Structures are given as C-alpha cells and as structure tokens.
Amino acid sequence: MDSSKVQAPSLLELPLFSKLTKRHQASLAKFAQHRVFPAGTDFIRQGEYTSDFFIVLSGIVTAYRTEKGGKTEILDQFTGGEWFGELSALSNQPAMARYKADLPCVLAVLDGALFKELYSFAPDFKKQVDKVYRERSLAQHLRVVPL
C-alpha cells in the first residue's frame, strides 16, 4: 500500500501526547516510526516478546487470542488514536494475543527505549498509559487464567 495515500493525524495532535515537553515532542518526532501494514497482516504473534508501543493512526487492528484447544477469540479492537502494547512494554511479558491489521493501517511505533523515556519522564503520558494498563491487564488476565 502506498503510504502517501493514507491520511493520518500527527502524533502531537493525539491526547496521549498533547502535554509533552518540547524535548519529548522532539524525541517523538525524531524516533517514532510510521509503519504501513496491508489488510490481513499479522505484526505481533501471540507469545512473542516485544517492547514496542503502537498507536493506530488509521485503520483497524484486532487482537486475537488462541487457546490451547485451538479456540480463537477477539480480545480487543483498536482504531484511530487508540494504542496498545503497554502490557508487554511495562511487564516484560510475551504478547497475550496476535495483532492483525483488519484494514490497511498506519501505525506509529515507539520502540522500548522511547516508550520508557516518555513513561518515566512525561507525567501526563504515564498517567494515561497507567489508567489503560490497569483496565486492560486485569481484563486480559481474567480471560486467560483458568478458573
């Protein structure tokens, strides 16, 4: 897919990054990568270790979890402005799901070092990530722990 044909918002326009300092804005602009994924692309496999943090700029990403018996369920869907990857980036645990581009997607990707820099030194960013982390981690762990 030609990335020049996809209109995506600037990262700094998103609420997650709106209160960054000038220094952190510069780091984000310099080091965040924009990646284009065609529809149907799996870009994180269940069980894979990753410290990357993803922000959907356009398209739809779905998280699928496959149980040992082969049953697959949808855990979550993400659209423009939403993010994921904080669970693995913060816990150093493997991905609990497979992430797939359901439509052509443009994603901003923060590698582990940039994510940890913002998480450690940008209080508003940390607050927003922690809120979503608490909500998702509890919900996802309850789904995968046998009762």
Side-chain angles (χ1 to χ4, degrees):
M1 170 174 202
D2 181 0
S3 62
S4 65
K5 293 181 181 177
V6 178
Q7 294 297 318
S10 161
L11 286 176
L12 297 176
E13 294 172 8
L14 300 176
L16 181 62
F17 302 110
S18 65
K19 295 184 180 177
L20 294 181
T21 64
K22 295 290 184 196
R23 181 174 71 86
H24 288 128
Q25 288 177 2
S27 291
L28 189 66
K30 183 175 181 179
F31 296 112
Q33 301 174 16
H34 285 70
R35 295 188 191 156
V36 177
F37 294 96
T41 303
D42 288 340
F43 53 91
I44 298 175
R45 291 183 301 274
Q46 183 174 321
E48 179 177 71
Y49 283 89
T50 179
S51 60
D52 290 342
F53 181 74
F54 298 86
I55 304 96
V56 179
L57 299 177
S58 67
I60 297 175
V61 172
T62 302
Y64 298 90
R65 178 161 176 85
T66 302
E67 299 300 328
K68 288 183 181 176
K71 180 183 173 195
T72 299
E73 68 175 311
I74 294 175
L75 291 182
D76 215 337
Q77 278 196 317
F78 306 93
T79 59
E82 295 179 319
W83 71 82
F84 57 93
E86 74 285 344
L87 294 173
S88 293
L90 291 172
S91 68
N92 295 316
Q93 297 294 314
M96 296 177 73
R98 170 176 57 101
Y99 290 79
K100 178 181 178 182
D102 288 336
L103 297 174
C105 292
V106 177
L107 304 179
V109 182
L110 281 57
D111 68 13
L114 179 56
F115 173 78
K116 288 179 178 148
E117 166 76 18
L118 295 177
Y119 187 79
S120 296
F121 300 107
D124 193 64
F125 176 85
K126 180 183 187 319
K127 180 180 174 182
Q128 291 180 74
V129 169
D130 282 349
K131 179 182 183 295
V132 170
Y133 175 80
R134 283 189 298 275
E135 293 168 0
R136 287 186 189 156
S137 64
L138 177 60
Q140 287 190 11
H141 284 291
L142 288 175
R143 283 182 166 163
V144 300
V145 174
L147 298 176

